[in-house]
Amino acid sequence: MDTASMGAHADVRTAPRALATEAVHAGRDDLARQGLHAPPIDLSTTYPSYDSRGEAARIDAFAATGTEPDGPPVYGRLGNPTVARFETALARLEGTEAAVAFASGMAALSAVLLVRASMGLRHVVAVRPLYGCSDHLLTAGLLGSEVTWTDPAGIAEALRADTGLVIVESPANPTLAEVDLRAVAHACGSVPLLVDNTFATPVLQRPAEQGARLVLHSATKYLGGHGDVLAGVLACDEEFAGRLRQVRFATGGVLHPLAGYLLLRGLSTLPVRVRAASANAAELARRLAADPRVAHVHYPRIGGAMVSFEIHGDPHEVIAGVRLITPAVSLGSVDTLIQHPASISHRIVDADDRRGAGVSDRLLRMSVGLEDVEDLWSDLDQALSFRGAGNCANNHNSPALADAQLPLRR
């Protein structure tokens, strides 16, 4: 039984290690002592125990605080050894006490809202843009929450006595807008700040070091990195982690052990993948900014593998014209993906709210992968000229292109 991995810090290290080293070794430190090299996959849903009194005491402790049970696992909805290894590793990379994994990023965000609502804190302050489904979850009040949308400068004024959470995404999906996380955290006061760090990953920024209490990842993206796993995870302090585990147990939003295994494997190459893809993205952003067919390019100051750009022509023709690049939703895979946010990832957001957040109808979002940059540029070049997508100079006065002459944002 692989019990050594249960608990976010069962394999405590004694000296600080570089991010690249943590990515390879965190969550695996105990393997050699067990005579193992690759982490095992524990697919059990339940575990035998002949000590029912001891089980009762452990269940009571979990019910009171959400603390992970000591000793052997109990039941798959309480926790899984393989998933715990991934949680340990992600907490190390983000510099937090703990991490709690869920079946998807939306399940993770839902758990946070439920935790705060259970304390009577249903009001949320949020900054647009956010991922489209996050925006919809808040706006529709599907979990009984009420949201106030504001810009970063208005956060402090928007706080109320029943505010339970402040949410920002930086770089934001899909405009790649960035906020000063330290300033935002200061404006939050005692209200927990949740930062969606999906685009940046801990390779580029660690929001907990800048005052965030909660760091959210759609682990489906860069953490997995190969387009074959669906997951979400929250890095946070142990107190909040306990509450999240209680919600996960009650609602059943657990991560499958095979997904936990794939995520742990993905983390080992995360720094290498992010840096290589970021180099490609920076070069493509440079070329797009100099291209007369492109109205505006968004590329974050901290770098990264995401590029968004608005074109003078029809964005749908670019989507139809790519051949090497895959026209698909999602991001963070080893291969390059492109999509039209107004049609897919942010379609569920009200059109006026979407445009007000900078998501124009001519914006394309590209997740740059690990292909040769010349091959990627060749495909983009021909796609930009595909049928009616090219150089439409008469569109310069379109309201959607009011900021077309702005320089590349880095």
Side-chain angles (χ1 to χ4, degrees):
M1 180 68 68
D2 172 33
T3 59
S5 63
M6 293 301 289
H9 284 279
D11 54 346
V12 176
R13 72 225 194 285
T14 57
R17 303 190 296 205
L19 182 82
T21 303
E22 289 286 27
V24 172
H25 289 280
R28 305 168 180 84
D29 294 302
D30 65 309
L31 292 179
R33 296 192 298 274
Q34 298 188 56
L36 299 171
H37 183 239
I41 306 175
D42 188 331
L43 296 173
S44 298
T45 57
T46 192
Y47 301 86
S49 172
Y50 294 94
D51 181 10
S52 56
R53 292 185 181 89
E55 292 294 89
R58 295 204 295 157
I59 294 297
D60 286 347
F62 178 84
T65 64
T67 301
E68 291 180 301
D70 293 327
V74 178
Y75 182 56
R77 209 164 75 241
L78 268 167
N80 171 273
T82 307
V83 172
R85 289 185 178 278
F86 163 65
E87 293 172 331
T88 295
L90 194 276
R92 293 278 188 80
L93 294 180
E94 284 290 2
T96 58
E97 292 178 344
V100 184
F102 292 84
S104 71
M106 292 308 301
L109 177 58
S110 296
V112 176
L113 295 176
L114 289 172
V115 165
R116 301 308 279 167
S118 72
M119 302 170 70
L121 301 170
R122 296 180 177 274
H123 180 242
V124 177
V125 174
V127 176
R128 281 188 172 121
L130 294 176
Y131 168 52
C133 287
S134 299
D135 188 309
H136 176 67
L137 179 65
L138 295 172
T139 302
L142 296 175
L143 296 178
S145 59
E146 177 190 352
V147 62
T148 297
W149 295 101
T150 186
D151 57 29
I155 288 175
E157 185 177 350
L159 299 177
R160 304 187 328 206
D162 63 338
T163 302
L165 196 66
V166 175
I167 302 178
V168 301
E169 184 175 8
S170 183
N173 186 354
T175 66
L176 305 177
E178 296 169 272
V179 300
D180 183 337
L181 295 181
R182 197 173 300 278
V184 167
H186 179 74
C188 292
S190 62
V191 177
L193 170 64
L194 181 151
V195 175
D196 188 328
N197 203 34
T198 299
F199 278 18
T201 81
V203 177
L204 300 179
Q205 73 180 8
R206 306 213 301 181
E209 294 177 347
Q210 300 178 62
R213 187 176 181 187
L214 297 151
V215 183
L216 172 68
H217 287 273
S218 172
T220 305
K221 313 305 193 296
Y222 289 104
L223 304 190
H226 294 77
D228 56 7
V229 60
L230 192 69
V233 64
L234 282 151
C236 56
D237 57 78
E238 179 56 36
E239 180 186 357
F240 209 107
R243 292 183 176 274
L244 290 171
R245 293 186 198 108
Q246 290 175 313
V247 169
R248 182 177 66 180
F249 176 76
T251 60
V254 297
L255 183 65
H256 191 274
L258 180 58
Y261 172 83
L262 291 173
L263 287 167
L264 184 63
R265 187 176 69 170
L267 287 185
S268 64
T269 60
L270 178 66
V272 176
R273 287 187 287 104
V274 168
R275 288 165 182 152
S278 297
N280 278 349
E283 176 59 19
L284 292 178
R286 186 188 68 79
R287 297 187 189 190
L288 287 166
D291 195 303
R293 296 166 295 184
V294 176
H296 190 75
V297 176
H298 305 263
Y299 187 64
R301 292 177 178 85
I302 64 170
M306 299 298 299
V307 179
S308 293
F309 57 100
E310 299 162 53
I311 67 168
H312 292 305
D314 184 350
H316 301 286
E317 298 295 346
V318 176
I319 295 295
V322 292
R323 295 295 177 262
L324 174 66
I325 297 169
T326 301
V329 72
S330 198
L331 56 109
S333 185
V334 292
D335 61 318
T336 300
L337 308 176
I338 193 169
Q339 64 110 352
H340 182 237
S343 296
I344 306 180
S345 65
H346 289 70
R347 186 66 180 180
I348 202 168
V349 179
D350 176 82
D352 288 339
D353 291 337
R354 188 171 66 229
R355 294 180 187 120
V359 186
S360 81
D361 292 340
R362 293 186 180 175
L363 182 74
L364 292 166
R365 189 195 74 187
M366 185 167 58
S367 169
V368 182
L370 303 181
E371 303 94 337
D372 186 277
V373 72
E374 296 299 336
D375 290 331
L376 291 174
W377 177 248
S378 177
D379 194 39
L380 270 180
D381 183 39
Q382 63 84 26
L384 285 165
S385 298
F386 184 72
R387 286 186 282 180
N391 200 5
C392 299
N394 60 343
N395 286 327
H396 276 267
N397 295 321
S398 168
L401 301 175
D403 62 346
Q405 304 306 314
L406 293 177
L408 171 65
R409 292 178 183 169
R410 292 192 176 275

